[in-house]
Amino acid sequence: MRVLSRIRGLRLGTKLMLLGVPLTLLFVPWVSYLLPNKMAQLSVQMQSNQQRLIAERIAISFNRHDDLFADLPVGASGYEALLARPIQSRTPARLDGWPSDWDVQALQPNEFGPKDGDGSFALSLGTRGTTLYAYLEIVDDARVYRDPELLRLDNADQARIEFIQPDDEDGRIAIALSASGDTIAYRMDEDWRFAEAPESSVQGFVREIATGYAVELSLPFSLLGSRRSFGLSFVDVDDPDARAVRAITQTLPKSEAKESFNLVAFRDPDLLKDLERLRYSDMHLRIIDAQQRIRAETGSYRTVSRAHSAPSWQTSALGYLTTVGNWFAAIRDTTRRWLTGQPRTDRETAEAAQQRIEREVMASALSGEPVALRRHVGGVETILAGHPIISQGTVIGMIAVERNIKDILSFQREIIGQIALVSLSSFLVVLLCLLAFAGRLTWRISSLRREAAAAIDHYGRLRTDTLSSGMAAADEIGDLGRSISNMLARLDQHHTFLRRMPRTLRHEINNPLNTLTTSLERLAQESDGGRDSKYLESAKRGVLRIGTIVQSLADAANLEESLATEELEVVDIEALIDSYISNCRATHQGTRFVFHGTGAPVYGKIADYRIEQMLDKLIDNAVDFHRPGSPITVRLDAHRDGLRIIVANRGPMLPAEADGSLFESMVSRRVPGKKPHFGLGLYVVRVIAEQHGGSVQALNLVDGSGVAVIVRLPLASAETAPAAG
């Protein structure tokens, strides 16, 4: 038990160390940003490796199959490619003259003819299933429709399609343009004048627009030969009377050779059939030949991921951490540019970045190097992997495998949200603990400071010899409090010794003084004729002076104790001072006294003889320092909160440094002279005033002619004051 009683608790250093350990949680927000990113990068890298392996497996199944790529020319010289992109929108295809069912990736027009000039048009090609779609926006400032009464078709605005049929013969189809509505397609003769037969497989819709026509057409793959080449033209007729052809704007080059047709890259049926067998539900697969034309395509990466319902707090935490992550990334990029000296460049557009990454994958795979890159496509983040298809040591094409990583990113966001919650909660808990601990320390230190400051008054006297704040604490603040308390106890012992010393000295000194006084008296009696009387008188004065000194010290030491035990009475201070001044005039006949009272009784609860003792000290000082011939003024003022006794004299002023020490014990500003002064007069004044609940202050007169001492005392309460009568 004795051992346990000595254990007071943990030391302050131990507490700070134990609370300092959770400070490492301040790094959690940073780790919360780095760790999920590293996990996501690892997951994306694993997904990239998986897609490269899938692309490699599919590419191996097409290796050494030159026949699958033999139905297109080996070289693309003399051809202009018209890229037909897959239409991946979920809405069904409708021929209504509006491209609303085309997605952004497929609707990428090529301009033909003078830009925004009469007869020019913009062409977009897309594929869906086994059908080729075309959307044209034609600029025509004068629309001329077909005249039903005329058999010729070349005398009105029309769109023409030239192609190579499966039998390697030329094919010609004209679509007559009319007011908004369905189109009619005709197979034409070699001169493009008369129709040979309607072509029901080519369907379309024409819609009038402010600048001309908007035409949407569809034709089956089977209509075109294996070369997949055709040309499209717009015939512009502006004069409704003459009906002469003004201009023909075409996609075809000027050469008349068959090789001058445009090449259209779209899915090859045979390759598509083989690719369908290897289809993955959540991947977009494409076979691209060496000329970077899409030969087959299947699947989609735009799958619907499983729903993740996150709580609102997690969403808020995720938003907060995402913002912090963006700040970290911006700071990191700025620092990297500053360290490397790289200039800041504007970010490329999403479409340009998408095309650039796709070109990089194609270029790498067609050069024989498998690759997998990450990109954004239409708001979806995907991984595009490419692997070469090789036959007899030559790259004849590539397989492209694309898959979105939405699930990976969703998992990353979930992890970030959970870590954000833990980190923020931990940070808040640690912050609150530190604030509470810091507040507790501050309060304890402030309490100890206030109590230690209150233990000694303005004059250096001890008010208490012990402290109570935090004495039982085992830390450094407790040690400090106990040390200060012990120091106050020792100071109290020392001050008690000093207070008792005058009485002890008086007792010890009075005995030899009495003996000395008796001896001097007998010596004076025995001396004959008073021959040594002057020496005896000098010795008597010395003994008397020593006795006076000892008595003064004893009186000053006992003053506070005496005042504490005295009973106070309600006295008319006006009458008391008036009577006292009358006695002073009789005692100090060479000095003029002036008293200014209130003219009415002023009652105070006092010890009257102590007030007279206080006035004795003030009058003695005033008499000693006043200028000869000048009066000593005593004034009594009564106010609502107390009374003032002012004793003023004309004479030397107080030095600037004397104001704070005039009323302390054993302090004197007198010039050394014959009359003994021990610096106790004003000290006695202060003690008497404070014991009566008042205060004392010494000031130089405003005109600089002397000094005034002001004593403030409380008035007697209305209940204790005697009734007037």
Side-chain angles (χ1 to χ4, degrees):
M1 294 298 295
R2 298 181 62 181
V3 175
L4 294 177
S5 62
R6 297 180 181 178
I7 301 177
R8 297 179 179 271
L10 298 176
R11 307 292 291 180
L12 184 60
T14 306
K15 294 178 181 178
L16 291 175
M17 182 181 65
L18 291 177
L19 279 177
V21 171
L23 287 179
T24 56
L25 293 176
L26 292 174
F27 295 99
V28 171
W30 174 255
V31 175
S32 301
Y33 167 71
L34 291 181
L35 182 59
N37 280 349
K38 294 298 181 181
M39 294 173 60
Q41 291 175 7
L42 179 60
S43 300
V44 170
Q45 185 62 40
M46 293 174 62
Q47 180 65 34
S48 301
N49 295 337
Q50 180 188 11
Q51 287 185 216
R52 277 201 297 266
L53 292 176
I54 293 174
E56 181 181 6
R57 192 182 73 175
I58 297 175
I60 290 175
S61 65
F62 286 98
N63 285 345
R64 298 183 301 276
H65 285 68
D66 302 64
D67 54 327
L68 296 176
F69 293 85
D71 58 347
L72 287 179
V74 176
S77 60
Y79 291 84
E80 292 185 12
L82 293 177
L83 182 60
R85 297 177 174 84
I87 301 175
Q88 299 179 353
S89 63
R90 297 178 182 177
T91 59
R94 298 188 306 273
L95 296 177
D96 54 5
W98 294 90
S100 57
D101 51 352
W102 293 54
D103 60 346
V104 178
Q105 184 179 0
L107 193 65
Q108 298 185 21
N110 293 322
E111 303 286 342
F112 297 95
K115 184 173 180 60
D116 298 329
D118 188 23
S120 64
F121 63 90
L123 172 64
S124 297
L125 294 177
T127 63
R128 187 192 292 268
T130 59
T131 305
L132 175 67
Y133 290 85
Y135 176 75
L136 299 88
E137 287 190 356
I138 302 171
V139 179
D140 189 4
D141 55 5
R143 305 182 185 90
V144 177
Y145 304 135
R146 179 193 174 193
D147 187 353
E149 301 296 330
L150 300 177
L151 295 178
R152 291 181 59 176
L153 297 180
D154 60 346
N155 54 9
D157 293 339
Q158 63 178 258
R160 295 175 179 176
I161 301 176
E162 299 177 69
F163 58 95
I164 300 177
Q165 302 181 98
D167 57 2
D168 209 27
E169 295 294 331
D170 292 343
R172 290 172 294 276
I173 295 177
I175 297 99
L177 303 180
S178 60
S180 297
D182 296 329
T183 61
I184 302 176
Y186 301 93
R187 284 189 177 268
M188 302 297 293
D189 59 8
E190 294 182 359
D191 296 329
W192 293 94
R193 293 186 177 183
F194 299 98
E196 294 180 347
E199 181 57 58
S200 60
S201 63
V202 179
Q203 300 179 358
F205 190 93
V206 62
R207 177 175 58 90
E208 289 186 353
I209 58 177
T211 57
Y213 303 98
V215 183
E216 189 174 13
L217 303 173
S218 68
L219 61 155
F221 290 161
S222 59
L223 188 65
L224 305 178
S226 61
R227 293 179 181 271
R228 307 295 192 259
S229 59
F230 77 98
L232 193 146
S233 306
F234 169 65
V235 178
D236 185 20
V237 176
D238 286 347
D239 190 349
D241 297 326
R243 290 184 175 274
V245 176
R246 187 193 65 82
I248 299 177
T249 304
Q250 57 184 354
T251 65
L252 300 174
K254 299 300 183 182
S255 174
E256 297 297 332
K258 292 183 179 181
E259 287 77 6
S260 297
F261 284 110
N262 300 100
L263 288 177
V264 180
F266 49 78
R267 290 172 285 191
D268 186 280
D270 296 330
L271 286 176
L272 181 60
K273 186 184 300 183
D274 292 339
L275 194 60
E276 285 285 351
R277 294 186 291 104
L278 304 172
R279 179 177 178 178
Y280 290 81
S281 60
D282 58 348
M283 292 187 185
H284 181 211
L285 306 180
R286 288 179 292 169
I287 294 180
I288 303 173
D289 61 17
Q291 286 74 41
Q292 297 188 4
R293 295 169 297 192
I294 300 176
R295 301 298 301 277
E297 186 175 17
T298 186
S300 175
Y301 55 78
R302 297 178 181 269
T303 57
V304 180
S305 301
R306 63 179 185 272
H308 299 278
S309 58
S312 58
W313 57 262
Q314 186 168 331
T315 304
S316 302
L318 176 59
Y320 162 78
L321 206 60
T322 301
T323 303
V324 175
N326 294 335
W327 293 345
F328 287 156
I331 295 173
R332 179 190 60 197
D333 295 341
T334 303
T335 305
R336 183 183 296 116
R337 284 196 303 270
W338 181 75
L339 293 176
T340 58
Q342 296 177 353
R344 180 175 181 177
T345 58
D346 295 332
R347 294 184 178 179
E348 58 184 342
T349 62
E351 182 179 354
Q354 171 188 343
Q355 295 176 355
R356 175 182 57 80
I357 293 175
E358 186 164 358
R359 287 194 300 268
E360 290 180 7
V361 172
M362 286 187 181
S364 179
L366 293 177
S367 65
E369 293 294 333
V371 69
L373 296 178
R374 186 174 175 177
R375 68 169 182 166
H376 293 268
V377 183
V380 179
E381 195 164 359
T382 66
I383 295 177
L384 177 61
H387 196 282
I389 300 175
I390 302 174
S391 178
Q392 298 179 0
T394 303
V395 177
I396 61 175
M398 63 167 287
I399 180 72
V401 179
E402 191 166 13
R403 182 183 182 184
N404 72 30
I405 55 175
K406 186 176 181 180
D407 289 338
I408 297 176
L409 298 179
S410 299
F411 174 74
Q412 178 191 12
R413 286 191 291 269
E414 288 180 3
I415 294 298
I416 289 178
Q418 295 173 5
I419 296 180
L421 174 65
V422 174
S423 62
L424 291 177
S425 301
S426 303
F427 179 78
L428 290 176
V429 170
V430 171
L431 181 61
L432 291 176
C433 291
L434 288 178
L435 289 176
F437 185 69
R440 172 67 177 170
L441 286 179
T442 303
W443 179 81
R444 291 176 59 194
I445 294 173
S446 300
S447 299
L448 180 61
R449 177 187 59 80
R450 288 192 298 267
E451 191 173 359
I456 301 176
D457 63 9
H458 177 70
Y459 300 104
R461 295 176 301 178
L462 285 175
R463 294 177 177 174
T464 180
D465 60 348
T466 182
L467 300 180
S468 59
S469 297
M471 292 298 101
D475 53 21
E476 282 77 0
I477 299 179
D479 290 343
L480 178 61
R482 287 187 290 274
S483 298
I484 296 176
S485 183
N486 294 333
M487 179 183 67
L488 292 176
R490 291 193 295 270
L491 285 175
D492 183 66
Q493 294 175 0
H494 181 66
H495 283 186
T496 302
F497 168 75
L498 293 179
R499 286 195 303 268
R500 293 176 179 176
M501 182 179 292
R503 286 177 288 181
T504 303
L505 290 176
R506 183 182 63 178
H507 177 73
E508 297 296 332
I509 295 176
N510 280 339
N511 291 330
L513 281 179
N514 293 333
T515 303
L516 184 59
T517 301
T518 303
S519 300
L520 289 175
E521 291 177 353
R522 291 179 178 178
L523 184 61
Q525 294 175 0
E526 294 177 357
S527 60
D528 48 346
R531 195 173 42 184
D532 298 326
S533 60
K534 63 176 182 178
Y535 300 108
L536 291 175
E537 291 297 328
S538 177
K540 288 180 180 180
R541 286 195 301 272
V543 171
L544 181 61
R545 186 173 182 180
I546 294 174
T548 303
I549 292 174
V550 173
Q551 186 62 39
S552 298
L553 291 175
D555 291 342
N558 296 331
L559 181 61
E560 293 185 20
E561 295 180 2
S562 300
L563 287 171
T565 60
E566 288 181 353
E567 294 183 1
L568 304 182
E569 298 178 355
V570 177
V571 177
D572 182 3
I573 300 180
E574 172 93 7
L576 175 67
I577 298 178
D578 189 21
S579 174
Y580 178 82
I581 295 300
S582 299
N583 295 330
C584 287
R585 292 191 182 102
T587 305
H588 304 279
Q589 294 183 359
T591 305
R592 185 161 57 96
F593 293 91
V594 178
F595 173 62
H596 298 286
T598 62
V602 178
Y603 294 102
K605 195 172 184 179
I606 60 174
D608 53 358
Y609 74 95
R610 290 296 184 185
I611 298 300
E612 291 179 350
Q613 182 182 6
M614 178 184 73
L615 291 174
D616 286 340
K617 305 300 182 182
L618 293 176
I619 294 299
D620 287 344
N621 273 335
V623 170
D624 291 342
F625 287 100
H626 87 292
R627 186 182 305 117
S630 63
I632 296 175
T633 303
V634 179
R635 185 182 185 90
L636 175 64
D637 295 328
H639 303 280
R640 184 178 58 181
D641 56 345
L643 60 89
R644 293 190 307 174
I645 301 172
I646 304 173
V647 178
N649 66 274
R650 305 289 181 179
M653 299 176 61
L654 295 173
E657 70 277 3
D659 184 55
S661 59
L662 276 177
F663 299 97
E664 295 181 7
S665 176
M666 306 298 289
V667 174
S668 176
R669 297 292 173 181
R670 296 175 182 270
V671 177
K674 295 182 179 179
K675 189 176 180 180
H677 292 281
F678 312 109
L680 297 175
L682 293 180
Y683 168 73
V684 171
V685 172
R686 175 178 65 82
V687 172
I688 294 175
E690 290 179 351
Q691 290 295 330
H692 283 80
S695 62
V696 62
Q697 182 181 12
L699 298 173
N700 290 318
L701 296 178
V702 178
D703 57 2
S705 61
V707 176
V709 179
I710 303 173
V711 178
R712 293 179 175 87
L713 297 175
L715 290 172
S717 61
E719 293 79 5
T720 58

